[in-house]
């Protein structure tokens, strides 16, 4: 029987790559792993990732590496994992968190808009998993791939067919790669955040609020989100720390026998 133990340095010496790490959930994930002693590679298309990396390094006394990456570009993704390996000597955990959303009526949504959301949210996840796995297989020590889906990976919502398709696609990618990578001791899992207090949900509240407003009900800032939060069984919106705790578990040795799974983090919004 294995003895279970936890220390503050659970991930000391491990290299963790987090995409979409400049703010919100991504920064929360980076900070959680940093608090457990990991080397952190923070990747983002936004230059703010350099400031985030500096904050994380200062707050937790770990080494960080900020990298500008467009996860839809194959050469960018290849460069990301090469830089991670060259800097720290391994790629042990990769969290595919980068994602975008737009909200629009079907007759106003362009093909380019539809394609871009799928390219970032689904193809970007696959590209990162593919490149990270190459290093994990080469190292021969296994690894953890953890992919960001969404509540819309469980149930689509109005005015976001492209986003729902992209996040349902992440679940399919996760299940397929879990089978392919299992012989290499690489687990592949996904997570479905619900309403999390981030910049993305500020956008969702504003734009869905505008589109869903009627003559009888005009949503002001924060009102639609508050209305939706009332329907959450646990009675509150989530915080990035709520998400990062699950990610750290899935990356830990305690989760070594879990693969191909998608776990909701939504306060009880969905039970499937």
């Amino acid at each position: 029987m294995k003895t279970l133990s936890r220390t503050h340095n659970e991930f000391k010496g491990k290299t963790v790559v987090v995409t979409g790490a400049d703010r919100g959930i991504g920064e929360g994930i980076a900070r959680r792993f940093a608090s457990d002693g990991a080397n952190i590679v923070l990747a983002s298309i936004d230059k703010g990732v350099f400031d985030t990396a500096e904050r994380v390094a200062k707050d937790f006394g770990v080494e960080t590496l900020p990298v500008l990456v467009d996860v839809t570009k194959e050469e960018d993704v290849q460069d990301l994992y090469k830089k991670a390996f060259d800097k720290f000597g391994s790629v042990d955990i990769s969290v595919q968190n980068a994602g975008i959303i737009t909200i629009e009526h079907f007759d106003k949504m362009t093909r380019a808009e539809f394609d871009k959301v799928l390219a970032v949210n689904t193809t970007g996840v696959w590209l990162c998993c593919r490149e990270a796995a190459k290093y994990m297989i080469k190292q021969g020590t296994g690894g953890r791939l953890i992919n960001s889906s969404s509540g819309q990976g469980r149930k689509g919502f109005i005015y976001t067919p492209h986003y729902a398709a992209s996040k349902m696609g992440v679940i399919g990618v996760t299940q397929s790669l879990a089978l392919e990578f299992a012989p290499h001791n690489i687990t592949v899992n996904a997570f479905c955040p619900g309403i999390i207090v981030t910049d993305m949900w500020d956008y969702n509240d504003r734009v869905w609020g505008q589109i869903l407003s009627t003559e009888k009900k005009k949503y002001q800032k924060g009102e639609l989100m508050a209305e939706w939060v009332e329907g959450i069984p646990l009675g509150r919106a989530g915080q990035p720390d709520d998400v990062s705790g699950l990610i750290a578990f899935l990356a830990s040795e305690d989760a070594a026998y879990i693969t191909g799974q998608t776990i909701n983090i939504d306060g009880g919004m969905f039970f499937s």
Side-chain angles (χ1 to χ4, degrees):
M1 183 71 69
K2 182 172 67 173
T3 301
L4 300 179
S5 63
R6 290 191 178 281
T7 68
H8 182 67
N9 293 319
E10 182 174 4
F11 296 106
K12 187 173 180 61
K14 300 289 188 181
T15 302
V16 181
V17 179
V18 184
T19 66
D22 56 296
R23 60 186 181 274
I25 291 174
E27 180 176 356
I29 293 168
R31 294 180 69 84
R32 173 56 187 263
F33 280 112
S35 75
D36 283 333
N39 303 314
I40 311 296
V41 182
L42 299 94
S44 176
I45 200 169
D46 193 309
K47 291 182 179 179
V49 73
F50 291 97
D51 291 335
T52 304
E54 186 175 340
R55 286 197 303 273
V56 171
K58 180 179 179 181
D59 290 347
F60 298 100
V62 298
E63 286 198 75
T64 62
L65 174 66
V67 183
L68 283 177
V69 174
D70 180 341
V71 297
T72 70
K73 294 182 178 178
E74 193 168 8
E75 60 275 18
D76 275 21
V77 175
Q78 291 170 342
D79 183 62
L80 165 63
Y81 290 94
K82 183 179 185 302
K83 284 180 176 176
F85 184 82
D86 288 349
K87 171 74 172 177
F88 295 118
S90 68
V91 175
D92 303 293
I93 299 156
S94 185
V95 184
Q96 287 59 248
N97 173 72
I100 60 171
I101 188 172
T102 62
I103 304 166
E104 189 56 272
H105 288 273
F106 81 96
D107 56 343
K108 295 179 181 177
M109 185 179 295
T110 65
R111 172 65 185 272
E113 184 178 358
F114 193 99
D115 288 349
K116 183 176 180 180
V117 168
L118 266 76
V120 174
N121 294 357
T122 313
T123 306
V125 165
W126 171 71
L127 284 172
C128 289
C129 285
R130 186 185 71 174
E131 294 307 313
K134 290 178 182 178
Y135 288 93
M136 293 174 181
I137 292 169
K138 180 180 178 181
Q139 291 159 194
T141 54
R144 302 283 192 267
L145 299 172
I146 305 169
N147 302 327
S148 177
S149 181
S150 165
Q152 287 210 54
R154 302 300 195 184
K155 182 179 180 180
F157 195 65
I158 194 167
Y159 307 127
T160 50
H162 53 339
Y163 186 75
S166 73
K167 293 302 186 176
M168 290 179 185
V170 168
I171 296 175
V173 168
T174 297
Q175 293 176 358
S176 180
L177 293 182
L179 294 171
E180 188 170 357
F181 295 156
H184 302 287
N185 195 31
I186 298 170
T187 65
V188 191
N189 293 290
F191 60 100
C192 288
I195 298 176
I196 308 296
V197 180
T198 60
D199 290 345
M200 179 179 283
W201 267 99
D202 285 344
Y203 167 84
N204 292 347
D205 172 74
R206 175 173 56 83
V207 179
W208 261 317
Q210 291 170 354
I211 296 178
L212 294 173
S213 287
T214 65
E215 290 297 325
K216 293 182 178 180
K217 175 63 177 179
K218 298 284 188 181
Y219 286 102
Q220 302 300 314
K221 178 179 172 59
E223 289 183 347
L224 181 62
M225 187 168 170
E227 187 177 293
W228 286 345
V229 168
E230 286 180 5
I232 296 175
L234 287 182
R236 66 175 178 87
Q239 297 290 334
D241 285 351
D242 293 311
V243 179
S244 65
L246 172 66
I247 307 311
F249 166 71
L250 290 173
S252 73
E253 284 304 308
D254 289 347
Y257 199 55
I258 299 173
T259 196
Q261 305 304 306
T262 300
I263 302 174
N264 300 344
I265 317 170
D266 59 13
M269 291 176 68
F270 299 109
F271 291 150
S272 61

